[in-house]
């Protein structure tokens, strides 16, 4: 064996050892199944007296918990508290049901919902799962329950649909910015039902909705057992 051949073999062996050590390190870093945390943002009412998602935005706070099926899919639980605010004074529409009176409201709202999240790219530090990225956009859809204090207590179901981005700022810390639209089955969140006086049919036709723009910070919990053959633990 020539000196050049021997040097080539030693170099290749060294590179293989480095690659093996890197792969072993990636496999020993923990992968977490869940995350918990909190969020803060703005909630905006959309209904008979407001058609803009940027108008009358009110502060909101949330408790957040997520269960990860894998680096691309997760199930998220959000409980949000905020206010829905609006007025008919700035709306250039005549409402026969209001008889030219001005209606203003500022109603508290509590939303509890479960959403399925799909990440466009595998999410993680890249050390616990091969190919994972710290940053990824995602989309979400689910089902929720809305409770609003609009003179009377209004409880209704809602359909949350939204999108956002996630960034892993640390080994176990996650930052997410999302915008979610909540389509409800009620027209009473503003305290006024059917001010147009027109009968309509359809689950979400002529009903109130609201959007939530939220920034959340969560912490990873429940590390996977790397030596268990059963992936459920």
């Amino acid at each position: 064996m020539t000196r050049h051949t021997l040097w080539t073999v030693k170099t290749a062996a060294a590179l293989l050892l480095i690659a093996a050590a890197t792969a072993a390190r990636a496999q020993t870093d923990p992968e977490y199944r869940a995350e918990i945390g909190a969020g803060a943002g703005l909630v905006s009412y959309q209904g008979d007296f407001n058609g803009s998602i940027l108008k009358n935005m009110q502060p909101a706070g949330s408790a957040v918990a997520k269960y990860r099926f894998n680096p691309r899919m997760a199930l998220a639980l959000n409980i949000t508290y905020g206010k829905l605010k609006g007025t008919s004074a700035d709306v250039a529409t005549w409402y026969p049901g209001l008889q030219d009176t001005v209606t203003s409201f500022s109603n508290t709202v509590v939303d509890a919902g479960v959403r399925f999240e799909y990440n466009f790219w595998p999410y993680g530090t890249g050390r616990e799962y091969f190919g994972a990225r710290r940053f990824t956009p995602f989309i979400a859809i689910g089902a929720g329950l809305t409770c609003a204090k609009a003179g009377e207590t209004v409880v209704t179901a809602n359909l949350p649909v939204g999108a956002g981005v996630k960034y892993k700022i640390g080994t176990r810390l996650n930052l997410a910015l999302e915008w979610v639209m909540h389509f409800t089955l009620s027209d009473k969140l503003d305290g006024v039902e059917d001010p147009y006086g027109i009968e309509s049919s359809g689950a979400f036709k002529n009903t109130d909705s609201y959007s939530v723009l939220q920034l959340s910070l969560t912490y990873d919990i429940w590390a996977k057992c790397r030596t268990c053959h059963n992936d459920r633990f």
Side-chain angles (χ1 to χ4, degrees):
M1 183 179 293
T2 64
R3 181 177 299 179
H4 177 74
T5 304
L6 183 61
W7 180 86
T8 303
V9 171
K10 288 182 177 180
T11 302
L15 291 175
L16 287 173
L17 287 173
I18 293 173
T22 303
R25 181 175 180 270
Q27 291 175 356
T28 55
D29 281 356
E31 185 177 353
Y32 296 93
R33 287 191 173 278
E35 52 189 275
I36 56 174
L42 298 168
V43 58
S44 174
Y45 152 84
Q46 284 85 49
D48 300 313
F49 309 126
N50 182 28
S52 171
I53 61 174
L54 300 178
K55 193 174 180 181
N56 292 320
M57 302 184 82
Q58 301 297 304
S62 301
V64 182
K66 298 183 181 183
Y67 176 82
R68 299 174 185 162
F69 298 107
N70 55 54
R72 280 188 180 269
M73 295 181 286
L75 195 65
L77 170 66
N78 278 55
I79 301 176
T80 304
Y81 176 87
K83 277 196 172 185
L84 303 179
K85 186 177 181 179
T87 179
S88 63
D90 301 326
V91 180
T93 302
W94 183 73
Y95 299 100
L98 298 182
Q99 299 178 351
D100 296 326
T101 60
V102 175
T103 296
S104 298
F105 64 93
S106 180
N107 303 332
T108 59
V109 61
V110 177
D111 174 275
V114 177
R115 304 196 306 260
F116 173 77
E117 294 183 354
Y118 181 79
N119 302 324
F120 283 54
W121 302 315
Y123 179 64
T125 61
R127 297 190 301 269
E128 78 285 53
Y129 182 84
F130 181 75
R133 303 185 184 185
R134 288 184 176 271
F135 174 84
T136 182
F138 68 94
I139 54 176
I141 187 170
L145 194 67
T146 302
C147 181
K149 192 68 175 178
E152 60 177 307
T153 300
V154 178
V155 179
T156 183
N158 75 74
L159 174 68
V161 180
V165 292
K166 301 176 183 177
Y167 182 72
K168 184 166 279 295
I169 59 177
T171 303
R172 301 178 69 172
L173 283 177
N174 311 278
L175 193 67
L177 177 65
E178 63 181 37
W179 179 81
V180 179
M181 190 72 184
H182 299 258
F183 300 95
T184 78
L185 298 177
S186 174
D187 191 34
K188 296 182 179 181
L189 299 186
D190 48 22
V192 179
E193 184 177 15
D194 190 20
Y196 298 100
I198 302 174
E199 292 187 6
S200 58
S201 60
F204 298 101
K205 191 172 183 179
N206 291 338
T207 59
D208 297 327
S209 58
Y210 54 94
S211 62
V212 179
L213 177 65
Q214 176 177 274
L215 182 68
S216 63
L217 181 67
T218 58
Y219 183 77
D220 291 348
I221 59 172
W222 193 7
K224 284 187 177 181
C225 175
R226 307 198 67 86
T227 59
C228 300
H229 295 292
N230 191 337
D231 192 50
R232 292 178 298 173
F233 299 98

